[in-house]
Amino acid sequence: MTDRDRDEAGRARNARPRDGLGRPLPYGADGVERQPEGIARTPEDTIAEAQRLLDEGRPFHAHEVFEDAWKATDGPVRELWRGLAQLAVGLTHVARGNGNGAVSLLERGAANIEPFREARPHGVDVPGLQEWARTMAGEVKVRARVEPVAPRLLGE
């Protein structure tokens, strides 16, 4: 048994390189640069960075940005970030060809952002994201392989 990768505080980390969709590669392989963890961003910076990553076809990395916001936020809006992270993971599963995982996470994420439908914190287009997620999940249910399409977080 080998020792687990740990950060300076002793928390478990996985230092294995990953591909563009977040899948682990063998140690020593060339992977894509990892999204740094634990970055404190404003909500606007979180949305902008996640949108950039989604537009680049890197939903796994966008999920990590949302996860940072989720872990750093208290109160009800924390669930918005969790739902957005779930949507990004759902898109990751679409890109990886994992239909069951895609449908599950897209539907769960859409449901978890429902409480923010009217308020739209930070300008997030909750109704648009829910429509996108449900459409994407429906396509995955009908066809085994679907081309992943990045959502617009703030709408058009």
Side-chain angles (χ1 to χ4, degrees):
M1 183 182 221
T2 61
D3 291 331
R4 291 186 70 185
D5 300 318
R6 303 268 176 196
D7 67 9
E8 300 80 35
R11 291 182 301 262
R13 296 286 185 241
N14 189 336
R16 284 176 64 181
R18 293 184 177 262
D19 71 8
L21 293 175
R23 293 175 288 220
L25 299 170
Y27 285 101
D30 289 332
V32 300
E33 186 174 341
R34 302 276 303 261
Q35 193 65 27
E37 293 182 47
I39 302 294
R41 297 177 183 87
T42 66
E44 294 74 20
D45 288 344
T46 295
I47 292 165
E49 178 67 3
Q51 186 69 67
R52 181 185 70 77
L53 292 164
L54 290 166
D55 291 344
E56 290 177 359
R58 299 175 63 195
F60 177 81
H61 302 280
H63 136 266
E64 291 182 327
V65 170
F66 288 134
E67 194 171 75
D68 281 344
W70 171 31
K71 290 178 178 178
T73 303
D74 291 325
V77 81
R78 182 170 197 247
E79 291 305 304
L80 172 72
W81 300 120
R82 183 176 83 135
L84 294 173
Q86 290 168 327
L87 293 176
V89 172
L91 185 58
T92 300
H93 286 302
V94 171
R96 290 177 177 175
N98 175 0
N100 290 336
V103 169
S104 176
L105 269 296
L106 289 169
E107 290 177 346
R108 188 178 323 147
N112 284 337
I113 62 174
E114 177 64 30
F116 307 99
R117 188 172 177 84
E118 299 302 320
R120 299 183 187 197
H122 313 297
V124 173
D125 181 11
V126 173
L129 287 171
Q130 289 178 307
E131 180 180 340
W132 164 84
R134 291 176 178 138
T135 298
M136 181 74 59
E139 289 179 21
V140 171
K141 287 178 185 178
V142 173
R143 300 187 326 223
R145 186 78 173 147
V146 173
E147 188 66 31
V149 176
R152 301 301 311 158
L153 299 172
L154 299 177
E156 296 301 323

